[in-house]
Amino acid sequence: MSDDITISLQQAEALSHKVLTHNGFSQSHADAITRSVMAAQRDECHSHGLYRLIGCVQTALNGGVDTQAEPTITDQAASVVKVNANKGCSLLSFEMGKPHLIEKAKRSGIAALAINNSFHFSALWPEVEALSVEGLVALAMTPSHAFVAPAGGTSPLFGTNPIAFSWPRPGNTPYTFDFATSVVARGEIELHRRAGKSIPEGWAIDSEGNSTTDPVAALAGAMLPFGSYKGSALSTMVELLAGSLIGDLLGHETQAANAEKTGKPFHGELIIAMSPEAFLGKDAASHLEHAEVLFEGILDQGARLPSQRRFEARARSQVNGLTFPKALYDELNALTVQ
């Protein structure tokens, strides 16, 4: 008997909605969260797909997210819009702030959306791709709770602090990357733990500061930045830009929600959008076309573009549906009846 199950995209979407609304999330929050986890699951980004619904529900039960919060939008400056999530999930705040960000970027050339006081769990690439679909170049970043030791350090200080970027390619899928400044996303270690598998050497250290391949010890210790001091510096940049610059907390000043309801999982996110048309005027199209030379050069060497596998997975999922562990499917269904 297979350990996996395959369901249609429509079935998965319905399951996500049911899990979220059954556990107190408003329809608007359930819609926004479902769009994000479905995009990840469809593209076989399992660490940010349907599995993340379990954490959403647990966070809600532990008082770590206001499932009914209505974001508040502030027109901060000519090129800045701020959205206070009011302790709600960041995804609805992004969707509400996005039209303002697009309008400001197309008018001014560059604009920023700052999301404050939000619970954030999701991948960033759906957000930057949503902007590149509008013809904008986009960059996003967010700190997270202290899970990562600085290069040369022995205890958690940084979040996994992801950075995402998307470049619009007329007539083609956008050039997009999204990666944690840690060696891997924390969700990858959690998936190894759930599967009873060891993690590769170099991903993490245990609570004593020793290298470990045990995912349990890794989760109790600290993850490592990618590229040693280079990843550590980029992680610091994320903390400053998506924390201090927008008037929000640093990663180590937040804590995951817990059963005692003493956690403070709320922090900020910064999204920057740039308009090629505003920068280049009538020459925008020719310069976007010229950029294709770079992508062609990468592919001509037998290398692949970031997200290339993700777009291939998307095409498969739209035909074949979604395949993932049946244990996860059963766990999600259990959340609709408890």
Side-chain angles (χ1 to χ4, degrees), residues 5-319:
I5 188 170
T6 299
I7 61 176
S8 70
L9 294 171
Q10 293 77 16
Q11 288 172 313
E13 183 176 347
L15 176 59
S16 175
H17 274 284
K18 190 172 182 181
V19 167
L20 293 165
T21 55
H22 182 79
N23 287 279
F25 286 86
S26 69
Q27 192 64 50
S28 55
H29 276 295
D31 288 346
I33 293 169
T34 293
R35 279 188 281 272
S36 178
V37 298
M38 281 297 299
Q41 195 70 43
R42 174 202 63 197
D43 288 9
E44 296 181 5
C45 299
H46 298 286
S47 64
H48 288 82
L50 293 171
Y51 148 74
R52 290 285 175 153
L53 295 174
I54 299 168
C56 285
V57 170
Q58 193 59 53
T59 299
L61 293 175
N62 289 336
V65 59
D66 185 340
T67 59
Q68 302 289 317
E70 287 295 324
T72 305
I73 300 174
T74 301
D75 188 354
Q76 183 73 13
S79 293
V80 180
V81 58
K82 298 189 80 171
V83 182
N84 188 331
N86 293 316
K87 298 186 177 181
C89 182
S90 65
L91 293 167
L92 181 59
S93 292
F94 170 74
E95 291 191 356
M96 291 179 64
K98 182 178 70 171
H100 302 278
L101 175 63
I102 291 171
E103 187 276 327
K104 287 176 179 288
K106 290 188 174 181
R107 173 165 41 84
S108 302
I110 183 168
L113 167 61
I115 299 174
N116 292 107
N117 200 23
S118 70
F119 166 65
H120 188 282
F121 73 89
S122 54
L124 289 175
W125 62 259
E127 298 179 8
V128 291
E129 280 194 0
L131 295 169
S132 62
V133 166
E134 300 289 336
L136 299 171
V137 178
L139 179 69
M141 62 194 74
T142 183
S144 70
H145 315 313
F147 295 135
V148 182
T154 58
S155 61
L157 177 66
F158 301 139
T160 54
N161 294 6
I163 301 170
F165 173 83
S166 191
W167 176 273
R169 300 177 64 196
N172 209 329
T173 53
Y175 173 87
T176 305
F177 67 74
D178 177 1
F179 55 76
T181 50
S182 52
V183 175
V184 293
R186 187 171 175 84
E188 291 291 341
I189 296 180
E190 176 61 22
L191 287 175
H192 277 71
R193 183 196 67 77
R194 291 170 64 86
K197 297 179 180 178
S198 297
I199 61 172
E201 190 82 29
W203 279 18
I205 54 179
D206 63 20
S207 57
E208 303 299 318
N210 301 310
S211 181
T212 184
T213 60
D214 178 357
V216 175
L219 292 169
M223 301 168 66
L224 294 173
F226 81 87
S228 187
Y229 64 90
K230 295 180 181 180
S232 194
L234 285 174
S235 190
T236 303
M237 179 194 74
V238 172
E239 298 270 354
L240 297 173
L241 292 181
S244 300
L245 182 66
I246 66 171
D248 220 306
L249 299 177
L250 300 171
H252 72 276
E253 295 171 328
T254 72
Q255 297 88 38
N258 54 46
E260 293 75 30
K261 295 182 169 53
T262 58
K264 297 187 296 181
F266 311 108
H267 54 84
E269 178 182 354
L270 177 66
I271 305 102
I272 299 169
M274 293 158 273
S275 167
E277 285 74 19
F279 273 86
L280 298 163
K282 62 182 177 59
D283 296 325
S286 63
H287 284 284
L288 286 173
E289 186 62 34
H290 180 233
E292 292 297 307
V293 173
L294 184 60
F295 304 132
E296 291 165 7
I298 295 170
L299 295 171
D300 286 347
Q301 294 191 28
R304 68 176 181 87
L305 300 178
S307 295
Q308 190 172 322
R309 288 186 295 197
R310 186 165 59 76
F311 290 121
E312 292 167 357
R314 181 180 303 182
R316 285 195 301 272
S317 295
Q318 288 169 340
V319 174

